[in-house]
Amino acid sequence: MVDILAENLSGKAVMSADGTELGDLYNITMNLESGELNHLLVSPHEQLRSERVDFDVDEMGRLRVPVANVQAVKDYIVVAR
């Protein structure tokens, strides 16, 4: 996989592999001790129906997408659901 700077990902659109637009990347969480990335925090689009999403939600209503679900990063961040 090509290295991409995190600053280039901020605000990037996130889409599921089935083509559903989930929202925009807000932040990425990581384990500070190991450096391992944990979750993408995604600000969901207003029109996104909650029954179409299988991800946990944080206290601010952002989707917590496991980094392991990321399939591609190009024009969109594509994630498996």
Side-chain angles (χ1 to χ4, degrees), residues 23-58:
D24 299 315
L25 181 64
Y26 174 76
N27 209 343
I28 301 171
T29 64
M30 69 180 291
N31 180 318
L32 294 176
E33 292 180 13
S34 69
E36 180 180 14
L37 300 178
N38 294 328
H39 295 92
L40 304 181
L41 294 179
V42 178
S43 298
H45 287 169
E46 289 180 16
Q47 68 272 18
L48 182 65
R49 296 190 318 249
S50 60
E51 66 269 8
R52 298 211 53 194
V53 180
D54 298 328
F55 300 115
D56 292 336
V57 178
D58 73 4

Side-chain angles (χ1 to χ4, degrees), residues 12-23:
K12 188 172 276 292
V14 180
M15 176 184 289
S16 69
D18 68 3
T20 302
E21 291 192 30
L22 300 176

Side-chain angles (χ1 to χ4, degrees), residues 11 16 19 26 39 59 63-64 75:
S16 69
Y26 174 76
H39 295 92
E59 63 278 353
L63 306 175
R64 292 172 40 111
D75 293 335

